[in-house]
Amino acid sequence: MPPVYSQTQLLIIGGGPGGYVAAIRAAQLGLKVTLVEGKRLGGTCLNVGCIPSKALIHAAEAFAQAREQAYGRSELGISVSSAQLDLSKTIAWKDGIVAKLTGGVGALLKKHGVTVVQGWAEVIDGKTVEITQPGAEAGDSPQRIQCEHLLLAAGSQEIELPFLPFGGGHGRVVSSTEALSFADVPQHLVVVGGGYIGLELGTVWRKLGAEVTVVEAQDRILPAYDADLVKPVAQSLTKLGIKLLTAHRVEGLNADGTALTVRDPQGALLELPADKILVAVGRKPRTSGWGLEHLMLDMAGRAVKVDAQCRTSMKNVWAIGDLTGEPLLAHRAMAQGELVAEVIAGHNRRFEPASIPAVCFTDPEIVVAGHTPASAEAEGAKHGFKVLQALFPFAANGRALSLEAPEGFVRVVARADNHFILGWQAVGAAVSELSAAFGLSLEMGARLEDVAHTIHSHPTLGEAVQEACLRALGQALHI
């Protein structure tokens, strides 16, 4: 049967954070928009990433606190008779949050007049995409959509180790997707990878009752973050009873698939029995399985290469989000999606953010924005300026003490000559909520004096932001 064609101005492949934001903004600007999504709106972030994992992190912390109270360990004078976990109810609650948010995305797209096509896209050329819809039969006419502009927002996928494939070991080996919906709390969970995904989920299942071992090939966990930020996290993991095996190399499964084999730094082979093995060694752009190769675009390694307006090497073909490489962050994809919509509509926009804050939702949390001390020193050496830094510990913050969370600090990095703020880092309870202040100060080109002389509410964790700047100026008040 010959294809059935339809026309649109902007065709978006992928309904994740970048794709759906681009669709909404383009529709607001008067463009005719069609969005194609093979699974569920919201992409990895809403369905099997950011949102469900943070929901489980909250549930696990609530259960851990209840257990502390049941064992009479609370210093607040609170005690309960027992703490029980109904995991099926916990998972249902998490799934309910996901359903509410993905349903909200669908409602927003409908409200703005975006045409949503449920199906799998196959790129034919830079102007044409063929859709395979669920339930389509062999004799059905294929649906093809032609467009003026094609936006690629296919996202990313988990990296699978060839010697440890997902589903191996009689279903023991899982990705982060399966680790969000275990039917039962594992007796022993082994996490391969000491990055933020592995540590977030490892902490969840430890707090829910599993024995957890983390295996990391490098000599410390969270190798992308500096040692000062990682230290409180490592101490917390040890206190929780999570076993950390750093500088250990994974070999694969043992003969009967019931244990993970690893080599320690001395070369000795160890077996780690596990009923679940979570492989969390990172993600990669989703570049295969939907015809991207037909466009023959310029690539940057495994990612699609784009310019400061998210244009690819083919005219009127655009790419955003994880497909374009690091950092693989939903809020980056959203910002790029909004930008592309506006550029197509004739606005003058470029994607050149002063910073893209990144958060690790471990216990305690880590947030970084802009330059680290090391990268700032490198810039200073290159451009001839000196760098100063200062930190303020949460142990001297009244709100942190009242939250039983004195661990961690806020650190500011700035130029020594003009006090221009270059970057922020923080580790501590709920510091993810400080990321907006960090990003705003960097985008506004703030100096130490701007933040130090802004009145901050008391008592709040945000006071540590002000105090770090005061300390950098030699005006520390509470330390």
Side-chain angles (χ1 to χ4, degrees):
M1 297 286 288
V4 176
Y5 286 88
S6 60
Q7 307 286 329
T8 192
Q9 285 179 281
L10 172 60
L11 176 61
I12 302 171
I13 298 177
Y20 83 71
V21 166
I24 291 171
R25 184 63 183 130
Q28 289 175 342
L29 294 167
L31 298 176
K32 183 180 180 182
V33 184
T34 300
L35 184 149
V36 182
E37 171 56 50
K39 291 184 177 179
R40 291 183 291 179
L41 292 171
T44 294
C45 179
L46 262 66
N47 290 285
V48 292
C50 326
I51 299 302
S53 65
K54 303 319 169 272
L56 282 185
I57 286 170
H58 173 70
E61 175 59 21
F63 182 61
Q65 289 181 353
R67 292 182 71 182
E68 290 290 302
Q69 293 161 2
Y71 293 142
R73 297 172 183 162
S74 172
E75 295 183 1
L76 305 181
I78 300 172
S79 62
V80 297
S81 57
S82 66
Q84 304 295 325
L85 176 68
D86 184 339
L87 183 59
S88 63
K89 194 170 183 178
T90 304
I91 298 299
W93 170 78
K94 178 262 296 181
D95 291 343
I97 292 173
V98 171
K100 182 177 181 179
L101 290 172
T102 54
V105 170
L108 287 170
L109 292 167
K110 183 178 180 180
K111 171 186 173 182
H112 289 91
V114 175
T115 299
V116 177
V117 177
Q118 186 71 37
W120 296 101
E122 175 78 17
V123 173
I124 305 301
D125 56 41
K127 298 290 185 183
T128 312
V129 170
E130 184 167 293
I131 310 300
T132 301
Q133 293 181 311
E137 298 181 1
D140 293 344
S141 296
Q143 179 184 1
R144 288 191 176 184
I145 305 174
Q146 293 182 319
C147 60
E148 296 175 25
H149 295 270
L150 177 61
L151 174 55
L152 310 177
S156 62
Q157 63 194 80
E158 300 100 335
I159 293 175
E160 186 173 18
L161 298 175
F163 52 86
L164 208 59
F166 299 136
H170 308 291
R172 280 182 170 82
V173 182
V174 300
S175 71
S176 58
T177 297
E178 291 78 32
L180 291 168
S181 299
F182 289 147
D184 301 292
V185 176
Q187 182 175 347
H188 197 158
L189 171 68
V190 173
V191 179
V192 178
Y196 74 95
I197 295 175
L199 294 185
E200 286 179 8
L201 290 174
T203 299
V204 162
W205 292 108
R206 175 58 189 152
K207 288 182 177 180
L208 293 178
E211 294 294 323
V212 177
T213 301
V214 176
V215 182
E216 168 57 47
Q218 298 196 45
D219 59 4
R220 64 180 177 85
I221 57 170
L222 296 172
Y225 296 88
D226 72 59
D228 290 337
L229 291 170
V230 174
K231 184 178 178 181
V233 177
Q235 291 173 336
S236 174
L237 293 171
T238 301
K239 184 178 179 181
L240 281 171
I242 294 177
K243 188 176 182 180
L244 303 176
L245 300 181
T246 55
H248 281 63
R249 189 176 74 250
V250 173
E251 298 281 317
L253 295 172
N254 66 353
D256 60 6
T258 60
L260 183 73
T261 59
V262 301
R263 288 198 182 274
D264 69 14
Q266 289 72 44
L269 194 63
L270 309 175
E271 283 197 1
L272 306 176
D275 44 337
K276 292 294 180 183
I277 300 169
L278 167 59
V279 177
V281 294
R283 300 182 65 85
K284 63 181 180 180
R286 193 185 302 275
T287 56
S288 61
W290 50 279
L292 176 65
E293 64 278 5
H294 297 156
L295 300 178
M296 295 185 289
L297 301 176
D298 291 347
M299 304 294 286
R302 293 188 291 192
V304 174
K305 186 177 181 180
V306 294
D307 66 10
Q309 291 184 313
C310 297
R311 300 176 187 269
T312 71
S313 56
M314 179 177 285
K315 184 178 180 181
N316 291 342
V317 176
W318 316 72
I320 60 174
D322 291 3
L323 187 64
T324 62
E326 294 287 350
L328 309 185
L329 297 169
H331 44 285
R332 169 177 176 262
M334 291 178 176
Q336 288 178 318
E338 183 183 5
L339 174 141
V340 168
E342 295 187 357
V343 172
I344 292 173
H347 295 207
N348 184 18
R349 290 285 310 276
R350 293 174 69 82
F351 189 73
E352 295 174 330
S355 77
I356 304 176
V359 179
C360 181
F361 288 88
T362 45
D363 180 11
E365 296 174 352
I366 296 175
V367 59
V368 297
H371 280 291
T372 64
S375 66
E377 291 286 356
E379 284 294 301
K382 187 188 304 181
H383 299 290
F385 62 82
K386 293 187 180 299
V387 173
L388 60 83
Q389 59 174 295
L391 66 80
F392 187 83
F394 283 118
N397 176 269
R399 181 58 174 157
L401 293 175
S402 71
L403 292 172
E404 299 181 284
E407 299 82 11
F409 58 84
V410 171
R411 181 172 63 200
V412 65
V413 182
R415 288 181 58 142
D417 53 359
N418 58 16
H419 297 173
F420 184 81
I421 296 175
L422 301 173
W424 295 92
Q425 303 84 43
V427 56
V431 294
S432 56
E433 301 302 328
L434 301 180
S435 62
F438 294 166
L440 182 61
S441 72
L442 293 168
E443 288 293 340
M444 297 296 289
R447 301 177 189 274
L448 292 170
E449 290 83 355
D450 296 322
V451 178
H453 299 154
T454 296
I455 298 174
H456 288 62
S457 298
H458 173 76
T460 64
L461 297 179
E463 288 178 279
V465 177
Q466 179 186 23
E467 292 273 10
C469 289
L470 285 169
R471 194 175 189 188
L473 294 168
Q475 301 169 17
L477 297 173
H478 291 95
I479 190 172

